């Protein structure tokens, strides 16, 4: 399987990404968007994820988490997507403008994902695992998924 983590086309036109994404293998279509959700949310929460270019494939991440058997995490991502309203904005500038329009001094005021971040962190960790455990539920599910696909 070809590695595609850093191959996402950078374009302001989301259709360029969607064409590229459609050409990926089914395994890549599951792992690419889910990997980016985990990477971005771990680094700076959903606010960062949706502010970056990788946020355009959030709907595909929901499907990917479901394919991995992580329905609870898919539900959290789906609720984060719902913050944007009925029609999810694939265009980064539209998501940024939406988020920039939210005002407040405290993070719980300006970050509509504040509580969802905590839910995500709690849902993805392995119950009973020690602090700073290197694996999480996504990593284990992704490894199992790849094994089952080969």
């Amino acid at each position: 399987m070809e590695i595609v983590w850093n191959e996402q086309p950078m374009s302001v036109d989301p259709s360029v990404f969607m064409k590229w994404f459609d050409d990926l293998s089914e395994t890549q279509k599951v792992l690419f968007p889910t990997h980016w959700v985990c990477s971005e949310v771990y680094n700076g929460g959903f606010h960062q994820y949706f502010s970056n270019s990788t946020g355009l494939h959030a709907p595909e991440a929901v499907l990917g988490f479901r394919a991995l058997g992580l329905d609870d995490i898919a539900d959290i991502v789906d609720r984060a997507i719902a913050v944007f309203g009925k029609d999810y904005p694939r265009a980064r500038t539209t998501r940024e403008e939406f988020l920039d329009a939210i005002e407040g001094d405290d993070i719980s005021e300006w970050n509509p994902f504040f509580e969802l971040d905590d839910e995500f962190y709690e849902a993805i960790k392995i119950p009973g695992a020690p602090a700073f455990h290197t694996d999480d539920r996504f990593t284990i599910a992704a490894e199992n998924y790849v094994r089952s696909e080969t």
Side-chain angles (χ1 to χ4, degrees):
M1 178 172 58
E2 182 181 341
I3 297 173
V4 296
W5 306 128
N6 293 314
E7 300 299 320
Q8 175 178 327
M10 294 299 169
S11 173
V12 294
D13 181 357
S15 68
V16 172
F17 167 79
M18 295 310 296
K19 180 180 179 338
W20 173 82
F21 188 81
D22 287 343
D23 290 337
L24 296 178
S25 72
E26 289 307 309
T27 301
Q28 290 168 326
K29 287 178 183 178
V30 168
L31 297 179
F32 181 82
T34 53
H35 157 81
W36 278 112
V37 167
C38 292
S39 180
E40 295 284 2
V41 175
Y42 272 144
N43 186 262
F46 281 107
H47 199 283
Q48 175 175 307
Y49 171 68
F50 289 117
S51 296
N52 286 338
S53 60
T54 52
L56 77 94
H57 44 67
E60 288 72 29
V62 170
L63 298 174
F65 283 119
R66 293 202 191 290
L68 293 172
L70 300 172
D71 291 335
D72 57 335
I73 295 171
D75 290 344
I76 293 168
V77 177
D78 206 26
R79 287 181 13 238
I81 290 170
V83 166
F84 292 95
K86 182 182 174 206
D87 296 318
Y88 179 68
R90 297 247 186 204
R92 180 181 185 178
T93 55
T94 306
R95 293 191 311 274
E96 287 174 327
E97 289 168 1
F98 177 90
L99 295 173
D100 288 346
I102 301 171
E103 296 181 5
D105 296 324
D106 185 78
I107 190 170
S108 63
E109 296 171 337
W110 60 261
N111 182 352
F113 313 108
F114 180 69
E115 292 177 357
L116 291 172
D117 290 344
D118 289 340
E119 284 185 47
F120 178 87
Y121 302 139
E122 188 63 30
I124 203 157
K125 74 179 186 179
I126 298 171
F132 306 109
H133 193 262
T134 56
D135 285 338
D136 59 25
R137 290 179 58 223
F138 167 72
T139 303
I140 291 169
E143 288 172 353
N144 289 338
Y145 182 82
V146 169
R147 280 189 202 103
S148 73
E149 295 296 308
T150 54

